[in-house]
Amino acid sequence: MMTIANPRKKSIQPTLARLPPLTSLRAFVATARHLNFLRAAEELHVTSAAVGQQIRLLEDYLGQPLFHRTRGQLQLTTAGLALVPGLTDAFDAVLGAMTQFAASDHEQPIRVSVAPSFASKWLIPRLDGLRRAAPGLQVLVDASTQLTDLDSGDADCVIRYGSGAYPGLVVDHLFSEAVIPICSPEFAERHWLRNGPKAIEGVPLLHEDGAEHDHSCPDWNAWLRAEGLSYRLSQGGFRLNQSSLVIDAALAGQGLGLGKVRLAEAELRAGRLVSPFGSPQPVSFSYLFATTATKARLMRVDLFRNWLQAEAKALQAIDEVLTWNTRPDLSIVAAE
């Protein structure tokens, strides 16, 4: 019996260097599963024309048709049927390997280096929201102001309060900051601070020093100048080396502090702190997320970064924050 050779059929000796394009093989597997270009295209998030083009490229490579096209219906040829099991198993193995890798990456804790005040006043209170947004993501928070070497593995990413000048890193601006006078409601009443800034004379003040303080952040003298005021400041009070300690001391009724609004936001909203007078003075520094280009591709880092960006976008403007429980009721003041 004489057989007629297929003139298109090629003799192929596949090697890694001579495999057909992965996109063509993927298009074939999806089309063989659905026997429909449109549904294959939907699965691959491309157009049906692109799927058809990839199938033709694979058929040209193999030198034989893989599908019969009859009145809009697709059927696998003998060659196509022979190719399906091996390629399906191969892609299942690839998907399994990638799923296992992604799961192992997700299960590793993300190591975040962050300043102590930002950790205690902003990040920690929001971790329950992160748990809901990224179930299973473990977070290891290193609260420190020390320099962090991301390349050495000290941390996967950092959140810093700074100028944003971090060359060679992937950097996201999260949000800006401002400072405003803060104290407990009882302290404000006891020292008649509701009557205006002139009451600052003789009042114990809280001052921030240390690694978390930046030169763009006004001290009390600079804040008064920016407000166009000139009063004699008390020599009493405390000097504290963290922003969070200024907030804690104000909560404890130990003095009137210049507090960072974003860090004191929860206490201001709840009325545990008030801002008896003055306006927020913006600072040049901002809160920033930073990581390396390599670590930015890790699933755990990507999840954390996306959550941070969403939280930052959801924040109200600083002026809006200060409309809650920060000023006395004008009718009461008028009555007094």
Side-chain angles (χ1 to χ4, degrees):
M1 180 177 178
M2 181 179 295
T3 59
I4 301 175
N6 184 341
R8 290 181 59 197
K9 188 174 182 180
K10 299 178 182 178
S11 176
I12 301 170
Q13 296 297 326
T15 65
L16 280 177
R18 298 178 60 191
L19 283 175
L22 181 64
T23 50
S24 293
L25 296 174
R26 188 174 58 178
F28 169 74
V29 170
T31 305
R33 177 161 53 246
H34 297 290
L35 291 178
N36 184 286
F37 283 147
L38 182 58
R39 278 182 287 187
E42 290 172 350
E43 179 182 345
L44 300 175
H45 303 290
V46 298
T47 64
S48 56
V51 171
Q53 181 182 21
Q54 292 301 322
I55 296 297
R56 286 191 294 273
L57 288 174
L58 183 58
E59 289 176 334
D60 288 342
Y61 175 87
L62 297 172
Q64 52 193 309
L66 299 172
F67 295 95
H68 293 303
R69 300 163 179 84
T70 307
R71 292 190 294 276
Q73 298 294 316
L74 289 182
Q75 288 185 332
L76 286 160
T77 65
T78 302
L81 287 168
L83 202 56
V84 165
L87 287 182
T88 300
D89 290 346
F91 275 103
D92 286 345
V94 170
L95 286 171
M98 295 305 298
T99 300
Q100 184 177 6
F101 173 80
S104 63
D105 172 43
H106 185 110
E107 289 167 359
Q108 291 186 39
I110 179 171
R111 293 160 298 173
V112 184
S113 174
V114 59
S117 292
F118 188 87
S120 64
K121 298 300 183 183
W122 196 93
L123 181 60
I124 299 299
R126 286 171 166 81
L127 286 183
D128 190 56
L130 174 59
R131 179 184 58 79
R132 292 192 300 270
L137 179 65
Q138 301 177 59
V139 182
L140 193 160
V141 178
D142 176 17
S144 172
T145 57
Q146 300 297 316
L147 292 176
T148 301
D149 186 351
L150 291 171
D151 290 320
S152 71
D154 289 349
D156 293 314
C157 57
V158 300
I159 301 172
R160 289 292 181 259
Y161 176 65
S163 63
Y166 304 121
L169 296 179
V170 176
V171 179
D172 293 327
H173 177 275
L174 296 176
F175 45 87
S176 302
E177 184 61 282
V179 294
I180 197 165
I182 59 170
C183 63
S184 69
E186 296 78 13
F187 187 91
E189 296 301 325
R190 186 165 68 250
H191 293 275
W192 300 92
L193 296 180
R194 300 291 197 181
N195 293 338
K198 64 182 180 181
I200 199 172
E201 293 187 337
V203 170
L205 299 178
L206 305 173
H207 307 268
E208 182 185 339
D209 289 328
E212 292 186 357
H213 185 65
D214 67 275
H215 297 300
S216 75
C217 185
D219 58 14
W220 273 111
N221 285 315
W223 186 87
L224 287 170
R225 286 195 301 271
E227 291 284 304
L229 304 172
S230 178
Y231 293 116
R232 180 175 55 83
L233 298 178
S234 168
Q235 297 302 308
F238 300 98
R239 309 196 78 84
L240 306 158
N241 73 342
Q242 291 180 11
S243 303
S244 60
L245 296 181
V246 172
I247 296 171
D248 290 340
L251 283 167
Q254 299 300 316
L256 179 67
L258 274 179
K260 292 188 170 75
V261 176
R262 289 305 183 193
L263 300 186
E265 182 172 346
E267 308 296 350
L268 289 166
R269 286 185 182 280
R272 291 186 289 270
L273 287 177
V274 295
S275 181
F277 53 75
S279 56
Q281 295 293 331
V283 299
S284 297
F285 281 16
S286 300
Y287 297 100
L288 305 149
F289 169 89
T291 188
T292 65
T294 299
K295 289 183 177 178
R297 292 192 289 268
L298 294 173
M299 178 177 287
R300 61 182 182 273
V301 175
D302 187 55
L303 287 169
F304 183 71
R305 180 185 181 189
N306 289 339
W307 172 77
L308 273 179
Q309 291 171 333
E311 288 292 309
K313 287 179 181 177
L315 291 176
Q316 287 184 298
I318 285 175
D319 287 342
E320 294 175 344
V321 172
L322 294 174
T323 62
W324 292 87
N325 298 318
T326 58
R327 298 288 187 267
D329 188 297
L330 295 180
S331 62
I332 295 176
V333 174
E336 293 174 348

